[in-house]
Amino acid sequence: MITKIISKVFGRRKATASPAKAGPVIYGPSKHHIRKDLISRGARKTCEELQRAGHTAFVVGGAVRDLLLGFQPKDFDVATSAHPDQVRALFRRSRIIGRRFQIVHVMWGAETVEVSTYRAHFTKEAEEERQDEHGRVLSDNVFGTQAEDAVRRDFTVNALFYDPVKEEVWDYQHGVKDLIAKKLVMIGDPATRYREDPVRMLRAARLSAKLGFDIEPRTAQPIRELKPLLAHVPQARLFEEILKLLLSGSAVACVQRLRELDLHHGLLPLLDNALEDPVTGPFALAALRATDERLRDDKPVSPAFLLAALLWGRVESRWKALEAGGEPSTPALHSAMHDALDAQRGKLAIPRRFDATMKELWLLQPRFLQRGGQRPHRLLEHPRFRAAYDFFELRARSGDAPLDVAKWWEDFQEAAPHDRDELLRAVVHDGQHEGGQKKRRRRRGGRGRKPAEGAAAEESP
Ligand code: ATP
Ligand code: MG
């Protein structure tokens, strides 16, 4: 499909190419396959309204790139010659957001279209004035022409415009050529562009992996040297970009690309430690793979689940160490969780909104090994049972938990009530459940210790 689309675009490109540098190469409707009905209703209507009012307006960026490649875009952004207040005045349901660079959110039913005014890219001198000592851009609020707006974007394939009224693709930066060659090429001087915004290094990894593109050598080359600049990026922005990467549908490929670029080390310990641990690394990788598969199947994914999986190696090894040092199991697990979260916070802070779910998933793990009495029934009723079971099952498949126990839980969930009792009896006969209970009896009998760790584990989540 992609080859067909590309050859269609490529085959006719020469005939329509405008003179180099004078302006954009414009591909008319017969030169590509993007029909206006592929554009979301909101983005299409926004462009139509803006054009009717005398402005130019295009769908821009990732959506045009993805449509040319035959992918379904995540969202449709609009770029226009109209200033934010002009956009705001045209659409009843709209609001201006942002301070440094204002954009307008235009609402169409459930859809929100992000509309930005063409923005200029700055000359070297002007840029220096606006940069901090690391070269990061501090102020950004200057409008420009459409051609300038193309230049200030990151990669050539991200600088394509699509006019949903005339069904034309406008290309100022040879984006179509690079798209056909499956190459990610930075616009302008790559080192300068990474200094302006170091997150572009992560975007290079994510987009090249997601699109199956090579990063052009000139674009890849400065990354090794400039990667320490990521340390100056605000944590929230870095986290947001990591989340995009993990939820891109190509998390495994993205992480692989990060490793090739040596971007996963030190700065991104979440990925670094998680995958290199010989015991829990396979589980972290399995969690990434499972996330990719779920996204491919259009199933919902939980960032907290994935983050919990990536940090599990650290939690588990600390937990085991504390237990080996004589600490009872449940308090040891609590300490291990806090240690892992604290250590992570010192590097790349995971927003606290994810904490509760992550902790719950971790705390429920030991309970899958406690299958005596009514405990499995109670665990089954836990509101987070399903996610915790998926977590346990993935661990089991990766050699981090007993497979037969995961299988038992699968049967237990699916069984009719009377069959469940049968399964519970089978556990007692096999003596398999005793993991938690034996220990508990031993502790109670042997040392007369209360409360029992198993019971505490049960109550704590
Ligand atoms: P996707 O939405 O698939 O993750 P995208 O390319 O659309 O990828 P967005 O973050 O939605 O990424 O950005 C939209 C567009 O804005 C990009 O295509 C690019 O043109 C521009 N852009 C985004 N981030 C940067 C950046 N850091 N530097 C320069 N241009 C950028
Ligand atoms: Mg986008």
Side-chain angles (χ1 to χ4, degrees):
M1 157 94 163
I2 293 175
T3 340
K4 203 173 118 211
I5 294 160
I6 285 174
S7 62
K8 196 169 171 189
V9 176
F10 191 47
R12 302 177 193 215
R13 180 176 173 268
K14 280 193 181 119
T16 56
S18 311
K21 292 204 174 161
V25 179
I26 297 173
Y27 300 93
S30 63
K31 314 294 187 276
H32 61 85
H33 68 286
I34 310 180
R35 294 290 76 89
K36 57 178 80 174
D37 56 8
L38 293 173
I39 306 298
S40 70
R41 179 175 158 270
R44 210 170 57 225
K45 287 179 87 84
T46 304
C47 289
E48 285 166 5
E49 282 299 314
L50 284 162
Q51 292 192 15
R52 206 170 297 144
H55 308 287
T56 63
F58 293 79
V59 173
V60 68
V64 186
R65 173 200 74 209
D66 288 350
L67 285 172
L68 281 175
L69 289 168
F71 301 143
Q72 174 62 37
K74 269 204 326 256
D75 42 39
F76 292 84
D77 298 329
V78 167
T80 178
S81 57
H83 283 200
D85 49 337
Q86 294 174 309
V87 179
R88 170 73 193 88
L90 273 178
F91 300 98
R92 200 172 49 81
R93 293 192 61 222
S94 68
R95 58 163 183 261
I96 295 182
I97 59 159
R99 266 176 298 158
R100 233 177 57 187
F101 189 83
Q102 295 187 325
I103 59 174
V104 186
H105 277 175
V106 180
M107 277 75 78
W108 299 95
E111 187 187 358
T112 298
V113 179
E114 208 169 280
V115 182
S116 39
T117 306
Y118 301 139
R119 220 186 295 182
H121 190 251
F122 290 83
T123 61
K124 250 194 152 31
E125 301 74 54
E127 248 167 35
E128 271 158 22
E129 269 174 36
R130 302 182 314 125
Q131 287 169 357
D132 69 8
E133 71 269 32
H134 306 291
R136 272 203 300 142
V137 177
L138 295 174
S139 101
D140 216 6
N141 203 4
V142 177
F143 301 128
T145 63
Q146 187 185 15
E148 285 171 321
D149 190 76
V151 171
R152 65 102 186 161
R153 292 178 185 274
D154 47 6
F155 305 105
T156 58
V157 292
N158 281 352
L160 295 164
F161 297 85
Y162 174 76
D163 177 342
V165 176
K166 293 200 188 126
E167 298 191 317
E168 289 174 348
V169 174
W170 288 37
D171 180 6
Y172 288 90
Q173 293 293 325
H174 306 292
V176 170
K177 183 182 91 211
D178 293 333
L179 188 127
I180 292 160
K182 290 177 157 262
K183 266 196 317 195
L184 202 65
V185 179
M186 181 65 84
I187 296 169
D189 172 52
T192 310
R193 304 303 310 279
Y194 293 133
R195 281 182 202 283
E196 283 171 9
D197 180 7
V199 167
R200 288 175 185 148
M201 294 188 259
L202 297 177
R203 287 179 56 84
R206 171 167 66 87
L207 291 172
S208 64
K210 177 179 129 169
L211 304 172
F213 279 23
D214 286 330
I215 306 178
E216 177 222 27
R218 228 175 53 88
T219 298
Q221 190 270 330
I223 292 181
R224 225 162 257 278
E225 191 194 323
L226 297 180
K227 66 175 182 167
L229 296 180
L230 282 168
H232 305 290
V233 175
Q235 293 262 308
R237 174 131 193 260
L238 213 48
F239 182 79
E240 199 182 302
E241 189 56 37
I242 295 295
L243 213 53
K244 270 192 180 181
L245 198 140
L246 295 175
L247 302 178
S248 65
S250 314
V252 174
C254 283
V255 168
Q256 174 66 25
R257 196 44 65 90
L258 284 176
R259 292 171 151 223
E260 285 163 18
L261 295 169
D262 203 28
L263 275 174
H264 68 301
H265 263 304
L267 290 168
L268 308 173
L270 186 70
L271 300 171
D272 182 351
N273 300 351
L275 297 162
E276 274 157 27
D277 187 301
V279 182
T280 50
F283 166 57
L285 192 63
L288 291 176
R289 199 167 284 137
T291 306
D292 286 351
E293 278 163 17
R294 288 184 69 88
L295 286 164
R296 206 165 305 140
D297 298 342
D298 266 336
K299 291 187 188 157
V301 295
S302 145
F305 182 97
L306 189 54
L307 294 166
L310 290 172
L311 281 179
W312 174 246
R314 210 179 288 176
V315 174
E316 197 181 35
S317 59
R318 181 85 184 121
W319 179 29
K320 295 271 156 69
L322 289 169
E323 271 189 330
E327 202 168 320
S329 187
T330 301
L333 178 53
H334 276 274
S335 306
M337 290 182 341
H338 289 118
D339 290 355
L341 286 171
D342 278 352
Q344 183 60 39
R345 247 186 273 289
K347 288 155 182 163
L348 175 68
I350 296 177
R352 288 187 191 271
R353 66 180 187 276
F354 296 115
D355 278 14
T357 311
M358 283 171 28
K359 285 182 184 167
E360 229 167 8
L361 288 171
W362 292 334
L363 280 170
L364 287 171
Q365 293 309 298
R367 289 180 55 181
F368 285 93
L369 297 174
Q370 298 159 3
R371 292 177 291 159
Q374 291 305 301
R375 296 162 159 232
H377 286 296
R378 287 204 291 273
L379 183 50
L380 202 57
E381 280 159 21
H382 193 284
R384 250 232 225 247
F385 171 80
R386 188 66 222 181
Y389 168 74
D390 287 347
F391 197 95
F392 183 79
E393 196 266 343
L394 211 54
R395 284 177 56 212
R397 272 199 282 139
S398 317
D400 185 50
L403 252 183
D404 57 332
V405 177
K407 176 75 183 75
W408 183 92
W409 275 100
E410 191 188 329
D411 295 341
F412 187 70
Q413 289 171 68
E414 284 164 11
H418 64 279
D419 294 335
R420 282 192 182 151
D421 292 337
E422 192 57 41
L423 281 162
L424 286 171
R425 275 196 292 278
V427 170
V428 175
H429 278 130
D430 291 355
Q432 285 174 2
H433 71 295
E434 264 93 16
Q437 293 215 324
K438 252 186 201 159
K439 243 192 263 168
R440 186 165 62 137
R441 272 189 230 118
R442 218 173 26 239
R443 289 228 169 102
R444 265 188 182 162
R447 292 184 252 161
R449 196 164 178 171
K450 277 182 188 176
E453 51 153 301
E458 210 150 74
E459 278 146 24
S460 41

